[in-house]
Amino acid sequence: MAAQFVLNIFIAFLWMLIKDEDVLLYTTFFEGYAVGIVIVFLMYRFFGRKFYLHRVYAVIKLVLIFNWELFLSAYLVLKTILTPNLDLKPGIFRYETVLRGEWEVPLIALLLTLTPGSVVMEVMPEGNVFYVHAMDIEKYKENLLSSLAKFEKAIMEVTR
């Protein structure tokens, strides 16, 4: 992916040098960068890897998914604590993840801990099993599992 980026920068500089004869302009560089994106996209199959802007798209998608899940869980927690009869059944459940590695496992644990109503209590030494504490396990376990599945899929798009 680094080779694709370097090629794109080279195309942008080449575009700037050809188009601007007397004064080099930043706007021409960005025009060349846009042209380079198209050229590299048409040629990325020859590099043997995914198109390098796909990872940028995946990161943006992960941030948007996290923001949506954060908003949704904050709404559910607020709705729960503002009900007149607070009937919570907190609990701990075990979750086995398909993620591996130094980045993937801590990232999903961090994202889950940052969403209100849940906390990752422990990650087993193997790195694929979490123990998660939920504010109300009967009501929100399915929501947590769906959030975890969305996070896993988005994290795999970013890191693999």
Side-chain angles (χ1 to χ4, degrees), residues 3-13 29 32-38 40 51-53:
Q4 294 176 14
F5 178 70
V6 170
L7 179 62
N8 199 353
I9 294 293
F10 178 74
I11 291 169
F13 274 117
F29 176 79
Y33 191 79
V35 169
I37 286 174
V38 172
V40 172
F51 182 53
Y52 80 100
L53 287 179

Side-chain angles (χ1 to χ4, degrees), residues 62-76 111-112 114-116 142-151:
L62 176 63
V63 168
L64 291 175
I65 288 171
F66 171 69
N67 284 333
W68 174 251
E69 293 297 324
L70 178 68
F71 173 76
L72 186 64
S73 63
Y75 170 74
L76 291 174
L111 292 176
L112 187 62
L114 287 175
T115 55
E142 294 304 318
N143 290 344
L144 280 172
L145 291 176
S146 70
S147 294
L148 282 166
K150 290 177 191 174
F151 287 154

